Amino acid sequence: MNEGITDGSGNEIFSDAVTLTYRTGTVIIVGLDGVTYKKLTDSTCCVESYSGTAASLVIPELVEGMTVTEIGEGAFENNTALTGIDLPDIITIFRACAFKGCTSLTSISIP
């Protein structure tokens, strides 16, 4: 199901993801699966956080045309619902505490 948002003209827009750009230039993409991505460069992004409750999760290689290259600091921290996660092999950086407290996580798959 797509989430509706309203643009500055009052038109309702439907999207699978919402992109937020802050005055600082930071770009955050919020996906419907509970994963929030942060733009790093014009072509890369990282997993910033996860607020979902799914037992398994697949992180795509591309989000809004950007390659997912890292898992951010504390991105999945204290998520006890997650038991397995599939990550693209392009991810090369795992920041501190990315999976800290994920007591049910038993499988991290990188093809």
Side-chain angles (χ1 to χ4, degrees), residues 35-83:
V35 180
T36 300
Y37 301 89
K38 180 179 177 182
K39 181 179 178 180
L40 300 172
T41 69
D42 285 341
S43 62
T44 64
C45 67
C46 76
V47 175
E48 181 76 3
S49 65
Y50 177 63
S51 61
T53 58
S56 63
L57 184 64
V58 176
I59 300 296
E61 185 172 326
L62 293 173
V63 173
E64 300 287 311
M66 294 177 287
T67 304
V68 181
T69 59
E70 67 181 71
I71 304 296
E73 184 171 341
F76 296 94
E77 190 169 7
N78 296 321
N79 184 302
T80 57
L82 196 60
T83 61

